[in-house]
Amino acid sequence: MRMTTRQDLSSTIHETALLGTRRKSFTMPQVEGALGSLLSQLVESDRRAEANEEAKNAEKLLLEVAAVVSLYEACGQMPERISTDLPSVCESDASPVCPPRTSQFFAQMLEGQHADVLPEALRLAAVKGFRIFADLLPALLELGTKHTDLRDAITPVLGERGQWLARQNPAWEWAEAPNTVEESAVEEVWQTASRDKRMTLLRELRRTEPSRSRALLASTWEQEAPEDRSAFLRLFENNLGEADEALLEVALDDRRKEVRRVAFDLLTRLPSSALVRRMKERVRSLVEISSVRMSKRKNPLAATLPAECDRAMQRDGIKPKPPHGIGEKAWWLMQMLGAVPPAVWCEHLKLGAPELLELAKTHKFSDALLGGWAIATTRFRDTGWAEAFWSARTPLPQNQYGVSPSIVEAVLAVLPSSRCEELLISELESNPVALDDSVLTLAFLEQFHHPWSVRLTRIFWNKLRHKFTDKLSLTGAEWVILRAAREAAVFMAPSIGEEVARGWATDERLQDRARQFEQTFSLLSFRHNLQKSFEEES
Amino acid sequence: MNRTPEQILALAPDAASAKSGRDLAAERKWVTLNREESRDENSELIWGECQGSGKTPYRTQVDTGDLAFKCTCPSRKFPCKHALGLFLLRASQPAAFTIGEPPAWVKEWQDARNTRAQKQAEKATKVNPEENAGVDPAVSVVGAAKRLAARERKVTAGLAELELWLCDIVRQGLASLQGKSADFWETAAARLVDAQAPGAARLVRLMGRQPTSGDGWERRLLHGISLLHLLVEAYKRQAELSLEQATDVRTLVGWTIDQAEVKKHAGVSDHWLVVGRVTEDEDRMQVERIWLWGAGCDRAALVLNFTPAGQSHAAQTSQSLFVPGDCFKGEVVFFHGAHPLRALVKERVEPDAAEIERLENAFLTEAGFAELTTAVAAYTAALARNPWIERFPMLLRGVVPQHCGDDCWVVRDAANHCLPLAKRFDGAWRLLAESGGRPIRLFGEWDGSTLLPLSIWSESRLHFLN
């Protein structure tokens, strides 16, 4: 009789069990080796059982044999040998790891608690030269993979270990140190690497050698996919200079709209560019101050709408089709004004920004004029015009069609944060109803994404407490303030968080109100403890 | 000993409590924060009043040494978020607490605990028969024997029915099981529960998960049913088995062993380190597995805690709270068996700091397995003694975690042997991050085909991975 091997027996058992003994019968084969002698013991005891008239059916036999084989295999197993290369070993880290309490806070934020404090915590860690402890690195890298806006804040705190870990997972490629490209390999990486790697390379070159980055992109410009062309060109924002104009002019003729848009955006940031010059030529004659005063009531500011949007204008980035709610000619004028430095008008019309804004407010084309100048103020970073906009409080057409920035957006984009804070403080101090009906102040507070000074924080909360003292129920507008305060809590000065929270305890009604601010206080105290923890010993 | 926030949070009964506890670890949430003048550095009494949503603040107190908690809040969780918050605050902002004389409500609790401890000590020294005072001992013994015999008959009948059911599965073929609903398994399990064989019922439920467990399910299932059949067979032939083997078989079928009885035996005195903890839900029961490792005897002990689902750990005594990385001196008694793993902590004393350090160093260099072949050999030896071992504790001294593509991970030793990690383990990247490509020490459960890591040592401290 032929001997069966263990493997054969094992597969016979499994086949039979899978199909069922109803369909496939099972008989005990002769098995070789030690397993065979084990199984023969089993058969022997069965025979004895049969002698005792205990019938043994095929199912029981199969289960018994299966148990023996299964255990025989389990007991005989050995760990597998692996022949692939070991992972590389990480260099040891020179930079210190965050203090233990800070690590705890990071763990908490990475689990989603007070997650909106992460950008601040990452920045603080980077400033102090700390790295994040190894156990949190995967969560941190996952976070950066999902939230691209946090990547620049994450990379400095990864340390050697984090860089090393990022190299082990293709999804974390973005976190690898950018200067890993050797000087001699630049061309090759640019020609052959993945899109993320090429982006990193180009971004880095843009920082250190703008001309080199330009030459590199120009060398492959024609072959790039359209979405890559616009993404790569977008990087030219950094260190943008007159030397970039030639390539941008080429891009202005691109087949793809997105690429043309990026080129237009960048060219209009170069006040000396041919595009801005052409635009000036077009628009100069359209806005004038009439020298003869016809009547006192007549606005001396004379604006003419362009008659058409020709090919040349379209090439220079003027979109012919207006968004809903604005006439097409007014739309063309607004865009043209937006592409010319606003200072041009002060020179051309011999009037200051405040006067021009005052005249434009009541003009029949006020939307086009104010909208265009707001775009230009933001684009050319004109501080004089930004201040003038803030003082004039001109309602901008932004609410209707979202095509030009709001005053707050313009002010925040142009003025330094210290100046913005001064404006906010004086607004809160001098305007008794600053939080009552001024949507503007609230919008400013909400969009002011810079650390608040202790002074601003204190003034804000005093104002708020004052406001809520006599109120029993909250109006809709006040709920908006509550939400704004909660969102601004990541920027407030946390050192006076306890003071701010305690200030409510004097009055019973206030205590009740203070509950509404619970989350805000909790965030402030979290940030305070976080900041303190950085001072502790590692 | 000073607890780290990580250790304190590990005491939380669930994630929500941990989160709320962290929120409450803020000075302004507390009306008062006090501590007793330290008895010693290892333990102190802290108490505070926390303003909740009600008029009167909750009164919370913690004994940091014995890990005892009390709070006047209505929460059934234990420890509650207030106790956790208070404890965390003490760890993070020790200066926020002022030294004071315990007020009446703190003293009351202290006294109550002392009285309880005394009563327990007295009860332990009492002789057994007194418990049944008033009942004729002979009558009670007869009654117990009758009940025992009745259960024995029910179990035997239940297992006979199980055997027929298993044979029927094999007759119909495993392929037909994939279409079966959960009821198919649940009904069989419920019958075994009725037959007072809850252990066997548990095994049936475990098998019920296999048909939907992915590739290779039929192999795992056949392994499961054949071992269950083996158990039925072994139960019939208990008389032919050794006492230890018979105990294993009876325990597995569902006969419980009186813990007080176990504690009567002499245990293993050693320094025990808490190396792992897992909580799993098993049919209306939450099972907590706590793994201890003896520094001197170099073996593992498994402490099991069962909590009916929906109930908190309120019934737990401080004795059963195990903090990751804790080391205690004590006597651990193993349940009888061919390869004893399950154990009870009979006596627990906190050693002093210097002793802990010495022990931890010794532990780091000597305990556990240096090679995977030895670890697996130890497993197979255990399996030969008790073929039903489900999880085998492995303390591995020097392994490198390695990613082998997709979600396949292994740990690899110096001899290039490797063991695959369990697919459900989600901390593999963290293992890799902590290793930095260098060998690490880890503790995990080996189920015969994959390893579930439960804790690792990094910067010479132990961290739980779940």
Side-chain angles (χ1 to χ4, degrees):
Chain A
M1 196 172 175
R2 203 173 65 87
M3 292 291 240
T4 308
T5 61
R6 176 182 58 82
Q7 288 87 342
D8 285 346
L9 174 62
S10 193
S11 39
T12 313
I13 294 170
H14 282 102
E15 259 168 52
T16 317
L18 201 59
L19 287 172
T21 45
R22 194 159 60 103
R23 296 182 191 82
K24 194 172 189 311
S25 65
F26 178 70
T27 45
M28 183 69 188
Q30 283 283 328
V31 184
E32 62 183 20
L35 179 63
S37 54
L38 261 177
L39 287 169
S40 59
Q41 280 180 40
L42 190 70
V43 174
E44 187 55 38
S45 81
D46 280 350
R47 202 163 293 141
R48 259 182 282 135
E50 262 167 49
N52 291 342
E53 289 174 18
E54 244 185 72
K56 196 100 184 187
N57 55 36
E59 291 77 37
K60 280 184 75 158
L61 181 65
L62 181 71
L63 283 171
E64 280 173 1
V65 175
V68 171
V69 174
S70 204
L71 284 170
Y72 182 86
E73 286 174 347
C75 286
Q77 69 175 325
M78 291 283 286
E80 262 180 67
R81 266 187 108 90
I82 187 168
S83 56
T84 52
D85 287 339
L86 270 166
S88 65
V89 171
C90 176
E91 304 281 318
S92 62
D93 259 297
S95 54
V97 70
C98 279
R101 206 150 71 97
T102 316
S103 290
Q104 278 294 322
F105 288 137
F106 267 111
Q108 212 172 325
M109 289 183 283
L110 287 167
E111 278 167 25
Q113 240 181 326
H114 298 308
D116 36 0
V117 185
L118 265 169
E120 179 184 19
L122 290 166
R123 198 180 58 240
L124 283 171
V127 167
K128 301 261 176 197
F130 285 132
R131 66 189 162 88
I132 301 294
F133 193 71
D135 61 343
L136 298 176
L137 288 171
L140 200 58
L141 288 165
E142 270 309 299
L143 185 80
T145 306
K146 285 200 196 89
H147 302 273
T148 46
D149 53 326
L150 286 176
R151 291 181 180 180
D152 288 343
I154 290 173
T155 41
V157 302
L158 290 174
E160 285 292 338
R161 187 64 65 91
Q163 302 282 355
W164 173 86
L165 190 64
R167 286 196 289 278
Q168 321 290 321
N169 186 346
W172 298 338
E173 196 181 49
W174 57 267
E176 290 174 37
N179 49 4
T180 46
V181 178
E182 294 267 326
E183 182 49 42
S184 56
V186 165
E187 292 288 335
E188 199 198 318
V189 169
W190 181 250
Q191 300 285 348
T192 57
S194 71
R195 182 177 190 265
D196 276 355
K197 272 230 168 83
R198 299 179 72 208
M199 280 289 270
T200 314
L201 173 67
L202 198 66
R203 187 181 293 117
E204 188 56 19
L205 274 181
R206 196 63 214 169
R207 205 170 56 80
T208 53
E209 269 184 283
S211 59
R212 180 91 189 268
S213 70
R214 186 170 55 244
L216 214 53
L217 181 55
S219 72
T220 55
W221 181 255
E222 292 297 325
Q223 293 96 283
E224 302 292 351
E227 53 275 16
D228 288 351
R229 284 205 298 276
S230 61
F232 289 147
L233 204 58
R234 178 62 69 199
L235 296 174
F236 279 45
E237 250 175 337
N238 191 5
N239 279 329
L240 185 68
E242 287 169 21
D244 296 316
E245 198 182 343
L247 182 60
L248 292 171
E249 275 285 341
V250 171
L252 217 46
D253 290 317
D254 202 272
R255 291 185 301 279
R256 193 57 91 93
K257 195 166 77 187
E258 290 76 20
V259 182
R260 296 201 296 271
R261 205 65 218 158
V262 175
F264 168 77
D265 272 347
L266 295 179
L267 281 170
T268 50
R269 285 192 207 180
L270 291 170
S272 62
S273 72
L275 185 140
V276 171
R277 219 163 42 238
R278 292 195 292 271
M279 207 62 90
K280 264 190 227 169
E281 286 311 313
R282 277 187 202 112
V283 80
R284 199 196 296 269
S285 59
L286 297 180
V287 183
E288 298 283 355
I289 293 288
S290 53
S291 44
V292 199
R293 282 211 158 176
M294 309 281 281
S295 95
K296 271 204 167 169
R297 269 173 295 156
K298 174 106 176 141
N299 197 327
L301 188 65
T304 321
L305 295 180
E308 54 164 353
C309 184
D310 59 23
R311 260 172 189 280
M313 277 165 75
Q314 290 186 33
R315 179 180 182 268
D316 279 349
I318 305 299
K319 297 181 200 159
K321 267 184 83 79
H324 183 72
I326 185 169
E328 65 174 2
K329 289 177 180 171
W331 168 238
W332 300 336
L333 179 61
M334 186 198 279
Q335 294 178 82
M336 290 199 286
L337 287 172
V340 171
V344 163
W345 303 105
C346 301
E347 198 186 309
H348 176 53
L349 305 175
K350 307 280 182 296
L351 280 174
E355 289 80 15
L356 286 172
L357 287 177
E358 202 51 43
L359 291 176
K361 255 189 203 175
T362 52
H363 199 277
K364 60 175 171 175
F365 300 140
S366 67
D367 280 2
L369 290 167
L370 292 172
W373 283 337
I375 297 172
T377 300
T378 312
R379 190 170 269 156
F380 296 96
R381 306 258 181 274
D382 193 308
T383 53
W385 275 78
E387 296 264 1
F389 263 115
W390 177 248
S391 314
R393 305 290 161 90
T394 7
L396 287 176
Q398 178 253 354
N399 292 340
Q400 293 149 40
Y401 357 97
V403 286
S404 67
S406 68
I407 294 184
V408 168
E409 280 163 0
V411 165
L412 283 168
V414 175
L415 298 180
S417 58
S418 56
R419 179 63 189 148
C420 290
E421 192 176 293
E422 276 173 36
L423 291 178
L424 262 175
I425 288 177
S426 83
E427 176 73 9
L428 288 170
E429 279 183 334
S430 62
N431 182 358
V433 290
L435 290 179
D436 282 326
D437 48 15
S438 169
V439 180
L440 215 55
T441 317
L442 210 56
F444 201 159
L445 281 168
E446 276 178 329
Q447 294 172 40
F448 183 54
H449 290 175
H450 290 274
W452 293 18
S453 66
V454 168
R455 185 157 168 243
L456 175 60
T457 311
R458 194 173 276 141
I459 290 173
F460 173 76
W461 282 100
N462 284 343
K463 191 102 190 162
L464 217 57
R465 245 190 328 267
H466 183 70
K467 183 171 170 50
F468 284 120
T469 307
D470 314 315
K471 294 284 180 63
L472 283 176
S473 59
L474 290 179
T475 63
E478 284 156 355
W479 281 111
V480 175
I481 297 179
L482 280 177
R483 206 197 55 223
R486 198 158 58 225
E487 275 164 20
V490 289
F491 301 108
M492 292 175 188
S495 59
I496 60 162
E498 295 281 321
E499 171 195 319
V500 157
R502 282 214 187 89
W504 299 78
T506 50
D507 186 299
E508 203 163 305
R509 275 172 308 171
L510 275 183
Q511 281 176 25
D512 210 35
R513 198 53 72 232
R515 296 228 171 89
Q516 317 280 0
F517 288 109
E518 192 44 50
Q519 279 175 291
T520 313
F521 297 152
S522 157
L523 190 78
L524 280 178
S525 114
F526 179 79
R527 287 182 54 222
H528 184 53
N529 288 327
L530 172 77
Q531 291 187 2
K532 277 201 304 189
S533 77
F534 276 104
E535 309 301 329
E536 290 160 13
E537 260 179 63
S538 288
Chain B
M1 97 195 55
N2 277 327
R3 302 285 183 192
T4 65
E6 183 189 359
Q7 289 179 323
I8 296 169
L9 287 168
L11 296 170
D14 52 38
S17 301
K19 181 182 179 304
S20 317
R22 275 203 285 228
D23 272 343
L24 286 171
E27 229 183 305
R28 76 197 153 73
K29 303 268 186 181
W30 297 84
V31 187
T32 58
L33 286 169
N34 292 95
R35 66 185 175 89
E36 191 188 30
E37 191 134 29
S38 292
R39 285 167 277 174
D40 59 80
E41 61 169 318
N42 291 341
S43 77
E44 60 175 5
L45 193 60
I46 56 175
W47 64 93
E49 288 172 290
C50 182
Q51 188 62 58
S53 47
K55 259 269 181 283
T56 43
Y58 297 128
R59 288 168 163 177
T60 313
Q61 38 195 325
V62 177
D63 186 325
T64 64
D66 296 349
L67 295 178
F69 309 91
K70 183 166 173 69
C71 184
T72 56
C73 77
S75 168
R76 295 179 65 196
K77 290 180 179 171
F78 186 81
C80 71
K81 58 185 178 177
H82 306 100
L84 287 170
L86 186 70
F87 203 170
L88 281 170
L89 195 59
R90 178 66 185 139
S92 60
Q93 282 164 264
F97 290 74
T98 43
I99 297 181
E101 191 59 30
W105 54 275
V106 176
K107 279 219 186 80
E108 226 169 75
W109 181 52
Q110 283 291 84
D111 293 344
R113 286 179 59 218
N114 286 338
T115 326
R116 206 177 318 142
Q118 247 170 23
K119 269 192 187 155
Q120 262 171 9
E122 276 168 24
K123 199 176 152 194
T125 51
K126 267 185 194 165
V127 230
N128 225 5
E130 280 182 35
E131 276 177 20
N132 294 328
V135 183
D136 181 348
V139 171
S140 84
V141 168
V142 170
K146 265 189 178 165
R147 280 196 298 278
L148 217 63
R151 179 172 177 189
E152 195 70 70
R153 280 194 299 277
K154 279 173 96 170
V155 171
T156 309
L159 291 184
E161 196 189 337
L162 173 64
E163 184 170 15
L164 289 175
W165 186 73
L166 290 173
C167 286
D168 193 50
I169 287 181
V170 176
R171 192 172 309 120
Q172 304 299 330
L174 301 186
S176 67
L177 291 176
Q178 271 196 311
K180 301 278 192 215
S181 72
D183 279 351
F184 174 76
W185 304 93
E186 195 42 51
T187 315
R191 286 218 176 125
L192 285 164
V193 172
D194 289 344
Q196 294 188 293
R202 185 183 74 92
L203 294 175
V204 168
R205 286 197 184 97
L206 284 181
M207 285 188 331
R209 297 182 195 168
Q210 294 296 3
T212 51
S213 68
D215 267 2
W217 66 272
E218 64 281 355
R219 259 172 197 279
R220 288 190 294 275
L221 185 58
L222 183 60
H223 179 75
I225 17 185
S226 64
L227 282 185
L228 186 53
H229 180 258
L230 184 66
L231 181 68
V232 173
E233 201 63 28
Y235 195 84
K236 282 194 242 165
R237 300 202 217 156
Q238 280 174 64
E240 297 168 41
L241 300 175
S242 72
L243 184 61
E244 283 79 18
Q245 287 169 329
T247 313
D248 285 337
V249 168
R250 291 178 71 82
T251 309
L252 210 58
V253 164
W255 288 89
T256 48
I257 292 158
D258 184 14
Q259 304 211 352
E261 203 60 37
V262 174
K263 279 195 181 172
K264 279 186 194 155
H265 294 96
V268 181
S269 287
D270 202 344
H271 286 89
W272 297 91
L273 193 74
V274 183
V275 290
R277 192 180 68 182
V278 202
T279 312
E280 275 174 4
D281 288 324
E282 249 179 33
D283 185 53
R284 278 160 271 163
M285 192 70 100
Q286 203 177 47
V287 185
E288 188 185 39
R289 295 198 295 275
I290 292 153
W291 289 103
L292 308 173
W293 200 282
C297 60
D298 200 15
R299 70 186 276 196
L302 172 65
V303 176
L304 292 177
N305 284 324
F306 300 94
T307 322
Q311 247 182 54
S312 66
H313 288 230
Q316 284 187 357
T317 64
S318 57
Q319 280 291 304
S320 59
L321 286 175
F322 292 93
V323 178
D326 253 14
C327 180
F328 65 89
K329 210 160 100 179
E331 196 181 339
V332 164
V333 200
F334 286 88
F335 285 69
H336 268 292
H339 184 85
L341 279 176
R342 191 175 169 198
L344 290 173
V345 176
K346 189 169 174 182
E347 187 204 12
R348 179 174 174 172
V349 187
E350 309 299 331
D352 62 66
E355 201 170 3
I356 290 185
E357 201 181 313
R358 188 184 61 75
L359 274 167
E360 277 175 354
N361 286 334
F363 196 81
L364 285 176
T365 46
E366 289 155 26
F369 302 105
E371 285 167 7
L372 292 177
T373 41
T374 353
V376 170
Y379 166 68
T380 54
L383 205 58
R385 287 190 285 270
N386 176 354
W388 296 282
I389 286 183
E390 287 166 35
R391 297 174 196 89
F392 184 74
M394 279 189 182
L395 178 62
L396 303 174
R397 216 149 52 201
V399 286
V400 182
Q402 191 172 356
H403 190 203
C404 304
D406 292 333
D407 52 354
C408 170
W409 288 81
V410 299
V411 288
R412 166 176 186 167
D413 69 3
N416 293 324
H417 285 110
C418 68
L419 295 182
L421 298 187
K423 289 267 186 281
R424 68 190 167 111
F425 176 62
D426 58 5
W429 284 106
R430 176 175 165 189
L431 276 192
L432 186 66
E434 301 230 34
S435 79
R438 291 187 181 80
I440 49 171
R441 167 185 309 271
L442 68 79
F443 175 81
E445 293 175 338
W446 173 250
D447 69 0
S449 52
T450 59
L451 182 72
L452 178 69
L454 295 183
S455 56
I456 59 165
W457 279 256
S458 75
E459 319 256 308
S460 70
R461 275 200 80 99
L462 177 141
H463 301 268
F464 279 8
L465 287 164
N466 40 351

